[in-house]
Amino acid sequence: MRQNTKVPLSYDLEVQRQLNVHSQRHTLAIIIGPPPDENTPINTASGCILQLSGRPYLLTAEHVLKVFEERKATNTSVRWQICSPEGSEHYVVFEPLSRVSARTSSHDCVAIELTDAETETLRTPVCTATNGWPPPVPQPGDLISLAGYPRLYRRQSGAVVEFGALTATFEVTAGGEYHCVAQWDRNHIVNTTESAIPEYGSDLGGMSGGPVFLVRQLSYPICGLITDFHSTWELLRIAHHWSRLSMGSMPKPPSSASEEDSPEPKSTRPL
């Protein structure tokens, strides 16, 4: 029987803020670009860490990795850097393509292996499959909490890159086989910067890959990743059909799974 997930959206501001802080603490910033002394633009995105069968993985949108591939093909100095909201010293740099364990363009999801040492360096709370694998599928009317680092809130000064998080609690408005959709409701957005809430039609690039959590009465399991934002209609698209991923070298789901090197930026920190 499906658990009740109908938590009222009429939570007061402090409760919503606590939900959104939970989402932000699990959200990593991704930087794609060459060392800062090359004075070349960077691309940024979001992601999170999932621990499955005792092994850590970076989860993000597949199109984020595709950007890295395209830039790496024309500039071999381009790096893949992961930054934690825990502070400027908590970041790692590695070559992601050789570590891809699961990847799908049609569902826009990718899982990349991390080492235990990298996970320890990042010090970001890790998402776990506490309710079995694959995770629960959000349904219309369910409440979700999400976070990401839009470039709208990004600031760069020389070798220093700072990120501001945008977090929100929304209701799922439509569901599909592989994705669900949430209407962007400014009444339920909380940001962690002094910047104003994004205006209508804003480009929220950089949010891609951010984790989405299903809000239940006693738990907040990860249930999807941000993959796209339609600025005209202000619709957020969330990938959730994890079970169709080609798992590669990832461990198989447990039988009890529910059905349901060059210089780097001196400081790269989410605000």
Side-chain angles (χ1 to χ4, degrees):
M1 178 179 295
R2 183 169 171 267
Q3 296 185 32
N4 177 27
T5 63
K6 306 297 183 181
V7 181
L9 193 53
S10 57
Y11 274 164
D12 62 35
L13 180 61
E14 181 55 32
V15 173
Q16 287 191 40
R17 190 178 299 277
Q18 291 175 11
L19 286 171
N20 295 337
V21 166
H22 169 272
S23 297
Q24 187 208 347
R25 291 188 65 239
H26 286 78
T27 306
L28 298 164
I30 299 173
I31 298 177
I32 299 170
D37 55 5
E38 294 191 17
N39 196 29
T40 303
I42 62 173
N43 298 91
T44 56
S46 306
C48 65
I49 300 174
L50 168 73
Q51 184 164 314
L52 186 62
S53 296
R55 298 173 62 183
Y57 300 90
L58 170 70
L59 298 183
T60 189
E62 192 271 344
H63 73 261
V64 174
L65 186 63
K66 191 172 296 182
V67 169
F68 172 78
E69 289 178 309
E70 293 170 351
R71 294 202 61 182
K72 187 76 171 179
T74 60
N75 184 349
T76 57
S77 67
V78 166
R79 298 289 186 262
W80 175 271
Q81 181 167 331
I82 312 300
C83 311
S84 166
E86 294 302 309
S88 59
E89 69 274 21
H90 299 293
Y91 70 90
V92 297
V93 181
F94 60 90
E95 204 295 313
L97 297 177
S98 61
R99 302 199 198 174
V100 173
S101 291
R103 182 174 186 175
T104 169
S105 298
S106 59
H107 307 157
D108 205 2
C109 299
V110 65
I112 300 168
E113 291 186 50
L114 294 174
T115 66
D116 290 336
E118 289 165 343
T119 304
E120 176 61 28
T121 297
L122 291 168
R123 290 194 178 181
T124 302
V126 174
C127 303
T128 57
T130 54
N131 294 327
W133 188 262
V137 174
Q139 303 292 330
D142 282 344
L143 192 62
I144 55 174
S145 179
L146 55 90
Y149 297 106
R151 59 174 169 263
L152 185 68
Y153 290 168
R154 188 180 77 203
R155 295 199 296 268
Q156 184 172 2
S157 177
V160 178
V161 181
E162 295 184 335
F163 295 86
L166 181 62
T167 62
T169 303
F170 296 142
E171 279 190 7
V172 175
T173 53
E177 185 177 3
Y178 307 119
H179 297 82
C180 66
V181 175
Q183 184 73 49
W184 197 254
D185 185 349
R186 285 175 175 74
N187 292 322
H188 300 286
I189 297 175
V190 178
N191 66 37
T192 60
T193 72
E194 297 178 356
S195 304
I197 297 297
E199 296 180 356
Y200 174 81
S202 295
D203 181 358
L204 296 181
M207 295 283 289
S208 292
V212 180
F213 300 90
L214 186 62
V215 179
R216 287 181 161 167
Q217 297 289 354
L218 299 176
S219 64
Y220 313 110
I222 186 169
C223 65
L225 298 175
I226 299 170
T227 58
D228 193 19
F229 178 70
H230 194 297
S231 59
T232 301
W233 302 105
E234 298 209 301
L235 296 174
L236 191 71
R237 194 166 185 251
I238 298 161
H240 64 66
H241 209 312
W242 313 79
S243 62
R244 295 292 183 89
L245 283 172
S246 176
M247 301 305 284
S249 61
M250 291 182 75
K252 294 182 179 180
S255 57
S256 59
S258 171
E259 292 183 358
E260 324 220 281
D261 312 27
S262 297
E264 303 301 333
K266 295 177 182 176
S267 175
T268 52
R269 63 180 185 276
L271 293 175

